[in-house]
Amino acid sequence: EYTPGGTLRSRHPKGTHLPFEQIVTYVKQIASALDYAHQQRVIHRDVKPENLLLNAKGEVVLTDFGLAVVQRSLDSLSTSNPAGTPLYMAPEPIQRHPCPASDQYALGILVYEWLAGEAPFRGTLFEVFSHHLSEPPPSLCERLPDLPVAVEGAVFKALAKDPMQRFATVQDFARALEEACFTTQPLSVHTPIEAVSSDHGTQSATHPLPVAREQDHAPPLQYPAPRTPLPAGYGQIVSQR
């Protein structure tokens, strides 16, 4: 499928604050694709803006399944290094036990980033892994006083350290965000006018199932699992790809 809209990273560069309604539109489409993959027992393992493309209709296409695994083959990963992009990795893939809820966590990080303008955890590789494993994300309501509490609650549930405490499906997460959007007062977020260009049109609330396909991207680096204690000087600055 031809995707002339580029990636969501190129459409919305780092530091961009998206309107909540736009975030809900994206999340509903991404969640549909992820849940379809999960129904086929496939875990994506690298959900991030660079792997989300926009087709000619402005619909999100989930791409780059280079790190995807089938659930029945997870035992073979027990001795492997954690793979993915550190800023979006859930605790369990860092510990070499990815599951479908790991993709939901990555999407939760994306929503946090789109709301706050930056990911919740930053720093060296060791610091980012450590935060994912044990630190709660900084409060969204403190950063965005107009943000409905229900929105923060939905995002933080998707970011629960224990995957069993997250939503049962990714689409349940999407529905919770949508309900928070339309059952509370409109959210006022300071958004650069260029962040939502009228050249690309307005996406409708109903979208067909996003297409999941492979793309010839270079695979993300695989990172060694954190050990306790780590050698001095181990951490390197995390790449903001």
Side-chain angles (χ1 to χ4, degrees):
E1 182 179 7
Y2 182 49
T3 52
T7 70
L8 288 188
R9 175 65 77 198
S10 62
R11 174 68 67 88
H12 307 296
K14 298 171 186 176
T16 301
H17 297 260
L18 297 189
F20 189 48
E21 293 80 0
Q22 180 68 69
I23 294 173
V24 169
T25 298
Y26 285 155
V27 170
K28 289 172 63 178
Q29 297 176 71
I30 299 166
S32 179
L34 285 174
D35 274 355
Y36 179 80
H38 296 163
Q39 290 164 12
Q40 315 311 311
R41 300 184 63 80
V42 172
I43 305 170
H44 189 280
R45 294 208 300 167
D46 200 24
V47 178
K48 60 183 179 181
E50 290 82 356
N51 289 340
L52 298 165
L53 308 182
L54 291 168
N55 65 16
K57 297 179 181 179
E59 299 161 341
V60 180
V61 177
L62 177 64
T63 186
D64 196 350
F65 281 72
L67 289 180
V69 294
V70 180
Q71 284 180 263
R72 63 174 174 267
S73 65
L74 287 179
D75 289 344
S76 64
L77 298 177
S78 60
T79 59
S80 303
N81 289 330
T85 302
L87 290 180
Y88 304 95
M89 288 175 69
E92 59 276 6
I94 295 174
Q95 297 169 322
R96 298 176 293 186
H97 299 291
C99 64
S102 306
D103 291 337
Q104 181 185 148
Y105 183 98
L107 183 56
I109 295 287
L110 263 178
V111 173
Y112 188 107
E113 183 178 2
W114 284 334
L115 286 169
E118 64 180 11
F121 305 128
R122 302 170 64 85
T124 65
L125 177 61
F126 173 77
E127 289 170 339
V128 170
F129 277 175
S130 178
H131 291 328
H132 281 306
L133 289 169
S134 59
E135 295 293 329
S139 171
L140 279 169
C141 288
E142 290 183 4
R143 294 175 178 233
L144 304 167
D146 294 332
L147 185 74
V149 175
V151 175
E152 182 181 80
V155 175
F156 280 21
K157 182 175 176 65
L159 295 179
K161 304 301 182 185
D162 181 354
M164 296 299 294
Q165 295 180 2
R166 297 172 200 154
F167 292 95
T169 68
V170 190
Q171 292 195 84
D172 286 343
F173 173 36
R175 281 190 285 270
L177 284 177
E178 185 174 30
E179 290 174 2
C181 176
F182 295 112
T183 60
T184 59
Q185 294 182 354
L187 171 64
S188 174
V189 176
H190 299 291
T191 308
I193 188 67
E194 66 273 10
V196 186
S197 172
S198 60
D199 293 339
H200 302 289
T202 301
Q203 300 185 32
S204 63
T206 303
H207 302 273
L209 180 69
V211 180
R213 69 180 183 84
E214 287 194 42
Q215 188 182 33
D216 294 330
H217 287 319
L221 297 177
Q222 298 201 7
Y223 301 91
R227 294 190 174 94
T228 306
L230 289 173
Y234 173 83
Q236 301 296 325
I237 298 299
V238 174
S239 173
Q240 299 279 328
R241 289 180 55 195

